[in-house]
Amino acid sequence: MTVDTRQSIMDEAKLVVQAHGYSALSFRELAKTVGIKNASVHYHFPTKGDLGAALARQYSDEAQAFLNCLPLDRDSAAQTMKTYTDAFRAALERDNRMCLCGIMIAERDELPEMVRGEVDRFTEINIQWLKSFLEALAPKAGASEIMDRAVAIFSAVEGAQLIARGCADVAVFDRCMNAYGATALFPVWPSK
Amino acid sequence: MTVDTRQSIMDEAKLVVQAHGYSALSFRELAKTVGIKNASVHYHFPTKGDLGAALARQYSDEAQAFLNCLPLDRDSAAQTMKTYTDAFRAALERDNRMCLCGIMIAERDELPEMVRGEVDRFTEINIQWLKSFLEALAPKAGASEIMDRAVAIFSAVEGAQLIARGCADVAVFDRCMNAYGATALFPVWPSK
DNA sequence: ACCTGAACACCGTTCAAGT
DNA sequence: ACCTGAACACCGTTCAAGT
């Protein structure tokens, strides 16, 4: 029965942000759901920015840990690419939610600085991993080419998640991934 | 000196939404900027949803008109593809703003139904045009393949705009477009 | 036809006060 | 250490009232 109030707040807040965005996050509703008073939320997170930053930090850390576990060797490359996109797909399958940081990128100008910093870190983590992945596959490719490709892939996957969520249809996400694979935007992709 | 108050409201609101999103649009601030009282805005647009829907409707109509003017013949295809992506690029160059409907897609679940309908229409208009464009280029391609590709291209372009805006760097958008062209996600792309 | 002030129920935030 | 009620300045919306 020793529920951690702070963690309960974060768990609930994460769901709300993934479904409706940072701006839709309300301390008052959060308090109601968790079962405390509005002012009490501020004891754990002084401002909404502190809560948002804590969410994004935890999310980025988890992403980093997830990516660190993915193999970069040639033989598993196609499966690794699929595992990467499946992480974004999973959010859609869970009640049509978005990547926590993906949805906050859209709200970037509205975010307190501390939140923005963490959201940017998520983007950076993804781009860096994609660069490592691409480099492992094509060691002789130019740095600039690798960079363009990494940014393009990340943008395309985030965009697909955004549009698929708009249609409330995971199949749209799958269509995009297949098209990205078929047209070689993705360096590798599992053949059927 | 016959300024149209209704149009002034829409002009200002459009800028705010493109820069900060629908949720950041405030009737009170809008009123201040336009030079009328908060309650007066409601005379022209009964609810915030009416204003948002009017903005999205006008935007979708303009997009439709713009796309109708683009040639679909083979010879100008590469230039047409660039003209299409340049429309999205232009928003970024104008104070790092987003496509009006692109940013609202991210807020989709928060939008009043009437706004959501217009935003969806913008997506539909783009997908339809891309399908026509792809069909004109590859008349023998399958309908399902064309559809996947159209959705994938739209998602990739919107995603690139989102990420580039996050970086506040148009060059990121250009990098993505070049990568999309080089990897043949785009059916055609101007060679340098 | 167009605008307004006042009121309503919301919001994040602060703070002094409780246990 | 953790929570609370009350107040503050915000928000969209409504409405009766003004011209």
Side-chain angles (χ1 to χ4, degrees):
Chain A
M1 232 332 263
T2 53
V3 282
D4 185 345
T5 305
R6 186 188 152 89
Q7 194 57 50
S8 301
I9 293 171
M10 286 187 72
D11 290 345
E12 177 59 25
K14 187 184 174 188
L15 289 177
V16 173
V17 175
Q18 280 192 286
H20 309 294
Y22 175 83
S23 67
L25 187 64
S26 155
F27 268 38
R28 287 180 141 90
E29 286 197 10
L30 214 48
K32 231 176 278 176
T33 308
V34 175
I36 54 176
K37 297 297 168 183
N38 150 46
S40 306
V41 181
H42 287 276
Y43 171 75
H44 299 280
F45 301 97
T47 69
K48 192 173 162 180
D50 290 299
L51 175 54
L55 288 175
R57 186 175 310 117
Q58 185 176 280
Y59 199 76
S60 294
D61 287 346
E62 286 168 5
Q64 183 69 269
F66 170 75
L67 294 175
N68 283 343
C69 292
L70 295 184
L72 294 180
D73 65 289
R74 268 198 141 64
D75 290 345
S76 35
Q79 182 52 47
T80 297
M81 192 66 215
K82 177 135 178 41
T83 305
Y84 178 74
T85 63
D86 273 350
F88 291 84
R89 188 185 196 279
L92 290 174
E93 284 209 308
R94 176 146 182 97
D95 299 327
N96 201 36
R97 298 180 200 276
M98 280 269 301
C99 160
L100 184 81
C101 290
I103 196 165
M104 289 208 277
I105 291 175
E107 304 175 283
R108 197 176 184 277
D109 288 2
E110 268 37 66
L111 300 177
E113 256 189 54
M114 57 195 321
V115 185
R116 192 158 49 216
E118 287 299 325
V119 171
D120 289 348
R121 192 164 70 86
F122 178 82
T123 300
E124 196 52 38
I125 286 168
N126 276 270
I127 305 275
Q128 283 306 320
W129 180 82
L130 284 166
K131 277 170 69 175
S132 312
F133 183 66
L134 292 169
E135 272 162 12
L137 283 177
K140 56 190 174 187
S144 164
E145 194 186 340
I146 294 272
M147 180 60 177
D148 288 12
R149 192 72 172 282
V151 173
I153 292 174
F154 180 66
S155 298
V157 174
E158 284 283 1
Q161 198 187 38
L162 186 69
I163 304 302
R165 174 162 157 284
C167 305
D169 185 1
V170 201
V172 169
F173 183 80
D174 295 333
R175 284 167 178 277
C176 287
M177 294 310 109
N178 284 328
Y180 295 161
T183 59
L185 171 63
F186 290 163
V188 287
W189 192 242
S191 50
K192 311 209 182 86
Chain B
M1 234 330 264
T2 53
V3 283
D4 184 345
T5 305
R6 186 189 153 90
Q7 194 57 50
S8 301
I9 294 171
M10 285 187 72
D11 291 345
E12 177 60 24
K14 186 184 175 187
L15 289 177
V16 173
V17 174
Q18 281 192 286
H20 308 296
Y22 175 83
S23 67
L25 186 64
S26 155
F27 269 37
R28 287 180 140 91
E29 286 197 10
L30 214 48
K32 231 176 278 176
T33 308
V34 175
I36 54 176
K37 297 298 168 182
N38 150 45
S40 307
V41 182
H42 287 277
Y43 171 75
H44 298 279
F45 302 97
T47 69
K48 192 174 162 181
D50 290 298
L51 174 54
L55 288 175
R57 187 175 310 118
Q58 184 176 279
Y59 199 76
S60 294
D61 287 345
E62 286 168 6
Q64 184 68 269
F66 170 76
L67 294 175
N68 284 343
C69 292
L70 295 184
L72 294 180
D73 65 290
R74 267 198 142 64
D75 290 344
S76 36
Q79 182 52 48
T80 297
M81 192 67 214
K82 178 135 177 41
T83 305
Y84 178 74
T85 64
D86 273 349
F88 291 84
R89 188 184 196 279
L92 291 173
E93 284 209 309
R94 177 148 182 93
D95 299 328
N96 202 36
R97 298 180 200 275
M98 280 268 303
C99 159
L100 184 81
C101 290
I103 197 165
M104 289 207 279
I105 291 175
E107 303 175 282
R108 196 176 185 278
D109 288 2
E110 267 39 65
L111 300 177
E113 255 188 55
M114 58 195 321
V115 185
R116 192 157 49 217
E118 287 299 325
V119 172
D120 289 349
R121 192 164 70 87
F122 178 82
T123 300
E124 198 51 39
I125 286 168
N126 276 270
I127 305 274
Q128 285 304 322
W129 179 82
L130 284 166
K131 276 170 70 176
S132 312
F133 183 66
L134 292 168
E135 273 162 12
L137 283 176
K140 57 190 175 186
S144 163
E145 194 186 339
I146 294 272
M147 180 62 179
D148 289 13
R149 193 73 171 282
V151 174
I153 292 173
F154 180 66
S155 298
V157 174
E158 284 283 3
Q161 196 188 38
L162 185 70
I163 303 302
R165 174 163 157 282
C167 305
D169 185 1
V170 200
V172 168
F173 183 80
D174 295 333
R175 284 167 176 277
C176 287
M177 294 309 110
N178 284 328
Y180 295 161
T183 60
L185 171 63
F186 290 163
V188 286
W189 192 242
S191 49
K192 314 209 181 85

